[in-house]
Amino acid sequence: MADQLFDNLLADAKEFFREKFGAAPTVLVAAPGRVNLIGEHTDYNGGYVFPMAIERYTIIAATPTDSDKATIWTKDCGKKMVPSAAGEFALRADVKPEEQPDWTSYVQGTISCCLRKGATLKSGFDAVIVSNVPLGGGLSSSASLEVSVATLIEELSGHKFEGSEKPLLCVDAEHEYARMPCGIMDQFISALGQKDCAMLLDCLTEKPEMVPMSDPTVSVLITNSNVKHALTGSEYPERRASCKAVAEALGRKLLREVSMDELLASKDKILAMENGETLFKRARHAVGEDVRTLKMKDALVAGDWATVGEQMRASHDSLRDDYEVSCSEIDALVEIARSIGPDGGAIGSRITGGGFGGCVVTLVKTDKADEIAEKMAREYKARVGKDATFFVTRPAQGARVL
Ligand code: ADP
Ligand code: MG
């Protein structure tokens, strides 16, 4: 299934290249999207996240030219009504970011950031981009685009980025050129993910640890609620500010440095602050989520599925009740998965991503995955009146040259 999907995408890339440039490409690279298994809203607190790469990729097909710029087509630029789009990209490190970013910003930003970090290109290139990571679906099509561009520049320039260099320069591109103040998770897992492994990423030290998830009888079911609630825009900065305020009240910079015991011992002090009740709940989520993430990692390695399921359950409840970033549609999906339960092959289920819609991640017994997905979609339709979309994946390989 996964191989077939990849082969189809690869064939698509080659065909699209031939259509646009009239020849076969000489370089092909791929970088995946991702899903976060646990560790939500922990990154900006310096905590832990636990993503894995998914069997959905962005592929770039390219050929060097003797031009001094890059001409790149994408099959999908994320705009409805625009079937495909082209851009011209300068091979310079000092290109000025656009005020109003669009898809070209991710590409130009990554090219410029690669050049800043020491890659040099002798000539330009022609390229096409195809992807089966849903754009804007919370599975990080943006990181898969940046990381695939960086991988292409490595291959064309012969300059290999070491360790965390590549994901970090992609983060720079997203911050500076796409103007998205994202964390480091998406780019790390897309660049450095390994097949049959999840990644425990410490957002304070920026050190990734590969965690084997090699049991093929367990898979990951990603269900998209296909709702995204309009936010005022203040929800995210508000929560960030709350976490910072509690950390500072306890004499620290980040909640990562606060233990649960310490937080509970300081409860009265926090409750006495303005909006104390809310501050305490927000901090309880952030501090508790780190504990759950580390527990889940150990349980996953041990194949202790009951403990894995428990951590996912507690994470969801905390995001719903303490952090207040869930919504009724997402809760419905999680409740349906819970009603199926471990006996029905649903090991654990939770919201994944920033919240207020988006996707649910459910760990499932591989042989029950389709049945569970269909039941979730059917009951979701009956309860919420909307169509959920889903797919099943094992932990996939990160960026690579094909
Ligand atoms: P997510 O990363 O969750 O999919 P984002 O809003 O962060 O959502 O990124 C989506 C944006 O990234 C798209 O609107 C588009 O600008 C850009 N993008 C992602 N994939 C592609 C692609 N294959 N071709 C062109 N642009 C892309
Ligand atoms: Mg993104």
Side-chain angles (χ1 to χ4, degrees):
M1 235 302 265
D3 291 346
Q4 188 62 54
L5 211 62
F6 191 87
D7 290 348
N8 291 347
L9 188 67
L10 185 57
D12 210 21
K14 290 177 182 167
E15 191 188 307
F16 191 39
F17 189 91
R18 185 171 283 284
E19 179 191 319
K20 292 301 173 194
F21 300 110
T26 55
V27 182
L28 289 148
V29 297
R34 63 92 187 97
V35 68
N36 192 23
L37 295 171
I38 196 166
E40 218 67 73
H41 288 281
T42 50
D43 55 350
Y44 48 83
N45 291 307
Y48 296 95
V49 293
F50 197 43
M52 59 170 232
I54 56 175
E55 290 157 346
R56 295 287 174 120
Y57 285 87
T58 296
I59 293 182
I60 305 184
T63 295
T65 59
D66 43 26
S67 153
D68 61 353
K69 59 184 188 300
T71 303
I72 306 179
W73 279 87
T74 177
K75 227 172 175 177
D76 180 2
C77 63
K79 288 200 186 114
K80 283 198 183 106
M81 324 300 290
V82 183
S84 60
E88 302 238 301
F89 300 88
L91 308 178
R92 293 199 333 265
D94 60 352
V95 175
K96 221 171 131 257
E98 300 286 344
E99 285 304 322
Q100 300 284 336
D102 64 8
W103 74 274
T104 61
S105 311
Y106 295 88
V107 176
Q108 182 65 62
T110 308
I111 293 174
S112 292
C113 288
C114 284
L115 300 181
R116 271 184 219 169
K117 293 288 173 198
T120 46
L121 289 168
K122 287 195 194 68
S123 76
F125 58 92
D126 289 338
V128 299
I129 304 167
V130 298
S131 184
N132 59 16
V133 184
L135 270 63
L139 300 174
S140 211
S141 68
S142 60
S144 74
L145 175 58
E146 292 147 10
V147 172
S148 58
V149 170
T151 306
L152 175 69
I153 301 298
E154 276 184 307
E155 186 63 10
L156 291 173
S157 67
H159 181 94
K160 185 94 181 71
F161 296 112
E162 292 299 329
S164 303
E165 257 187 317
K166 183 158 71 171
L168 287 174
L169 76 84
C170 291
V171 173
D172 288 345
E174 182 142 350
H175 288 177
E176 192 180 331
Y177 286 83
R179 300 186 186 273
M180 283 292 290
C182 61
I184 62 171
M185 166 170 72
D186 303 359
Q187 292 79 3
F188 265 80
I189 186 66
S190 182
L192 307 176
Q194 287 172 17
K195 192 169 158 58
D196 294 332
C197 288
M199 174 190 274
L200 181 73
L201 179 59
D202 181 331
C203 296
L204 189 61
T205 62
E206 300 185 338
K207 291 269 178 298
E209 175 192 339
M210 298 319 298
V211 179
M213 196 174 155
S214 42
D215 183 350
T217 67
V218 175
S219 293
V220 173
L221 168 64
I222 297 165
T223 312
N224 193 332
S225 66
N226 289 321
V227 299
K228 192 78 208 166
H229 291 287
L231 301 179
T232 65
S234 64
E235 292 81 1
Y236 179 76
E238 256 168 38
R239 280 162 180 76
R240 261 187 106 128
S242 299
C243 290
K244 188 161 175 262
V246 175
E248 279 170 3
L250 301 184
R252 308 292 159 71
K253 264 176 92 170
L254 295 163
L255 281 181
R256 157 68 180 275
E257 300 153 324
V258 175
S259 71
M260 188 53 95
D261 285 347
E262 204 178 348
L263 181 71
L264 295 175
S266 311
K267 184 169 181 181
D268 289 343
K269 181 176 175 178
I270 299 165
L271 291 181
M273 295 166 72
E274 199 184 334
N275 289 323
E277 191 97 30
T278 302
L279 290 180
F280 182 73
K281 288 201 313 185
R282 301 294 189 255
R284 184 166 59 189
H285 167 73
V287 173
E289 190 76 351
D290 276 346
V291 177
R292 287 186 287 273
T293 301
L294 294 175
K295 259 196 197 159
M296 169 135 163
K297 177 214 142 186
D298 289 340
L300 199 75
V301 172
D304 175 359
W305 302 115
T307 303
V308 166
E310 221 173 276
Q311 305 318 307
M312 293 180 84
R313 165 187 287 271
S315 170
H316 184 78
D317 290 355
S318 174
L319 286 156
R320 182 190 61 207
D321 302 334
D322 276 357
Y323 223 64
E324 297 179 279
V325 291
S326 192
C327 58
S328 60
E329 295 89 344
I330 290 284
D331 290 342
L333 283 169
V334 170
E335 279 161 25
I336 298 162
R338 283 180 185 180
S339 75
I340 298 166
D343 291 344
I347 294 164
S349 188
R350 56 178 288 279
I351 183 174
T352 183
F356 306 106
C359 293
V360 163
V361 58
T362 308
L363 226 58
V364 296
K365 284 284 178 194
T366 305
D367 59 354
K368 292 276 196 270
D370 291 341
E371 202 180 306
I372 294 170
E374 276 153 32
K375 188 169 161 74
M376 283 175 75
R378 195 167 59 242
E379 292 192 14
Y380 182 68
K381 179 82 176 176
R383 276 171 70 165
V384 176
K386 283 193 170 19
D387 290 309
T389 44
F390 50 82
F391 65 93
V392 179
T393 179
R394 288 272 313 149
Q397 178 65 40
R400 59 193 188 274
V401 177
L402 304 173

